[in-house]
Amino acid sequence: MSKEKVQIFDTTLRDGEQVPGCKLNTKQKLVIAERLDELGVDVIEAGFPISSPGDFTSVVEIAKIVKNATVCGLTRAVKKDIEVAAEALKFAKRPRIHTGIGTSDSHITHKFKATREEIIERAVSAVAYARTFVDDVEFYAEDAGRTDNEFLAQVCEAVVAAGATVLNIPDTTGYCLPEEYGAKIKYLRDNVKGIEKATLSCHCHNDLGLATANSIAGVINGARQIECTINGIGERAGNTSLEEVVMILRQHPTLDLDTNINSRLLYSTSRMVSESMGMPVQPNKAIVGANAFAHSSGIHQDGVIKNRETYEIIDPADVGVTESAIVLTARSGRAALAYRAKKVGYELTKLQLDVVYQEFLKFADRKKEVIDQDIHEIMHVCKITEARAV
Ligand code: KIV
Ligand code: ZN
């Protein structure tokens, strides 16, 4: 039986691009949007059209070229924002307006200096107005993570009645614990009248390193859309990382959930976004980091050489990485050295390996990593000159 689908809403070009130094021009955004469409994301949040003329143009151009995904534009719960977003999305095959307002007491008191009743009124008017332009309107309750569940349910019920098709429950400040966030989603599912007419969406920030865990808790409790970015980029500590949630769902069949993502494009997409934004990916980043499939300790290398699955839960090919890397360091053993020596042309006897290994250790103590060129030098020192020594 086919698994239930979780929609992937990519916000690399909106929340991701808000990161200082990550600004892209329209041409760069178009290249990324085309790749996201090919990757199989369901929704591309192309920008915040009223925020600048450049962002408006980018949303217009992205809307023209995207073939499969829904193209979405962000707005505040403000008429003019909604009109500008509708104009920017007019060429989209599947347009979505993403409108919303802060719902936590902190936002209501400090940002809006309003009452809860006024917030509900503004939310309802924004959704109803957006529905006069498009059929697909997503509502975000900003800072939902710190919003009292009972009030959040009231807001959600009111905006669903006004025509919202998707309910975004952002943990804007990355505050929630996974159990708490999951319980919030479940509470809304159980207490919002008309909830079956809308899709619940997770939008989690990573301030405490819990964005991915919270999004997964959300879908386990009934959300069916995850908002995320390539490489987890985004405001402050970032957003939920697209590659992580996609692979978690794929590697855990018991969750009975999947996405439409072509995971084989994950690695190249990560590199493309990183290069285009000038934002390096940390080497130990899950799924797409340079070390995600690299093994350097002797015990692990011996296991991986015998059978990859001893220390790898994902086949690197499934995310577009050509092969696992056996990195030679002072912690590496004979198995790893023999494996790498063979790759560069030396098939060593047991006796030769004993000699070469001693020389290798001296090299490795001096260097952080022993590379192919060093292997040739070690062979030279050990007087193993034939390319296929036996
Ligand atoms: O984090 C957040 O609350 C947001 C909303 C604007 C959706 O990015
Ligand atoms: Zn956000």
Side-chain angles (χ1 to χ4, degrees):
M1 221 178 70
S2 79
K3 294 179 180 172
E4 217 182 310
K5 283 281 158 65
V6 171
Q7 303 282 296
I8 293 294
F9 175 116
D10 181 278
T11 183
T12 305
L13 298 175
R14 200 277 297 169
D15 219 331
E17 209 237 2
Q18 285 174 213
V19 175
C22 283
K23 183 105 192 67
L24 301 173
N25 60 38
T26 300
K27 212 165 143 207
Q28 290 170 314
K29 285 191 189 177
L30 284 170
V31 175
I32 292 179
E34 237 172 353
R35 169 47 78 98
L36 292 172
D37 204 22
E38 196 188 344
L39 181 66
V41 309
D42 302 282
V43 185
I44 296 174
E45 187 162 50
F48 183 7
I50 201 159
S51 66
S52 74
D55 224 36
F56 178 85
T57 307
S58 297
V59 177
V60 172
E61 297 307 320
I62 290 169
K64 284 182 191 162
I65 59 145
V66 167
K67 294 192 182 82
N68 307 307
T70 293
V71 179
C72 173
L74 185 78
T75 80
R76 294 165 295 181
V78 171
K79 271 189 157 183
K80 186 72 188 158
D81 283 29
I82 294 168
E83 286 159 12
V84 172
E87 176 67 20
L89 291 167
K90 71 177 178 206
F91 297 110
K93 282 204 183 83
R94 293 176 197 82
R96 176 182 295 178
I97 292 179
H98 189 192
T99 190
I101 194 161
T103 53
S104 66
D105 287 337
S106 161
H107 280 224
I108 296 173
T109 315
H110 304 300
K111 264 176 69 175
F112 301 110
K113 306 200 188 319
T115 63
R116 285 184 166 188
E117 292 67 34
E118 283 163 350
I119 292 297
I120 294 187
E121 268 170 40
R122 287 201 214 176
V124 165
S125 314
V127 169
Y129 193 52
R131 278 298 303 257
T132 65
F133 297 99
V134 292
D135 292 335
D136 190 3
V137 173
E138 173 166 341
F139 173 79
Y140 65 85
E142 197 181 9
D143 205 15
R146 293 187 299 170
T147 301
D148 151 52
N149 285 350
E150 221 175 289
F151 177 60
L152 187 59
Q154 281 174 31
V155 178
C156 288
E157 199 163 301
V159 296
V160 169
T165 48
V166 181
L167 290 173
N168 178 8
I169 311 301
D171 184 21
T172 305
T173 56
Y175 175 74
C176 287
L177 294 170
E179 257 186 30
E180 204 181 347
Y181 188 77
K184 192 175 279 288
I185 297 292
K186 182 166 171 7
Y187 183 88
L188 297 174
R189 254 189 45 208
D190 293 345
N191 292 284
V192 173
K193 208 159 19 112
I195 193 71
E196 65 291 344
K197 289 187 247 157
T199 302
L200 277 162
S201 181
C202 312
H203 178 114
C204 299
H205 279 268
N206 206 30
D207 300 66
L208 292 171
L210 290 171
T212 294
N214 284 344
S215 298
I216 296 298
V219 294
I220 287 173
N221 283 282
R224 284 296 173 267
Q225 177 176 280
I226 295 178
E227 309 199 1
C228 45
T229 59
I230 302 293
N231 301 332
I233 57 164
E235 284 274 347
R236 306 180 309 280
N239 285 65
T240 299
S241 147
L242 181 148
E243 54 279 2
E244 290 173 15
V245 288
V246 166
M247 292 314 291
I248 289 169
L249 298 185
R250 203 142 294 169
Q251 298 306 112
H252 283 275
T254 51
L255 294 177
D256 234 7
L257 296 169
D258 202 1
T259 67
N260 292 317
I261 297 295
N262 174 0
S263 65
R264 289 178 179 258
L265 294 177
L266 285 174
Y267 182 73
S268 54
T269 308
S270 157
R271 294 296 126 171
M272 171 199 264
V273 169
S274 163
E275 276 158 33
S276 170
M277 290 191 163
M279 182 81 162
V281 177
Q282 70 193 64
N284 60 332
K285 168 83 182 62
I287 321 293
V288 291
N291 293 346
F293 298 98
H295 307 273
S296 66
S297 91
I299 296 171
H300 290 208
Q301 290 175 330
D302 183 49
V304 170
I305 290 166
K306 286 175 177 146
N307 185 325
R308 193 190 56 73
E309 287 179 12
T310 52
Y311 288 95
E312 278 181 1
I313 57 154
I314 298 171
D315 183 341
D318 287 348
V319 297
V321 173
T322 34
E323 59 175 351
S324 319
I326 299 293
V327 182
L328 292 179
T329 69
R331 305 281 90 74
S332 300
R334 283 174 170 73
L337 177 61
Y339 173 86
R340 283 281 302 275
K342 190 172 172 187
K343 285 210 157 221
V344 294
Y346 302 92
E347 197 143 7
L348 302 170
T349 64
K350 191 174 172 313
L351 221 63
Q352 282 174 322
L353 183 58
D354 284 343
V355 176
V356 170
Y357 187 64
Q358 296 314 314
E359 195 55 39
F360 160 77
L361 287 179
K362 287 188 221 158
F363 244 83
D365 270 340
R366 288 198 304 270
K367 295 195 71 185
K368 279 204 173 105
E369 188 187 330
V370 174
I371 60 172
D372 288 353
Q373 203 188 327
D374 300 328
I375 297 177
H376 291 298
E377 212 176 316
I378 293 167
M379 296 302 167
H380 181 71
V381 174
C382 296
K383 302 198 179 353
I384 297 174
T385 50
E386 288 166 47
R388 292 230 163 250
V390 197

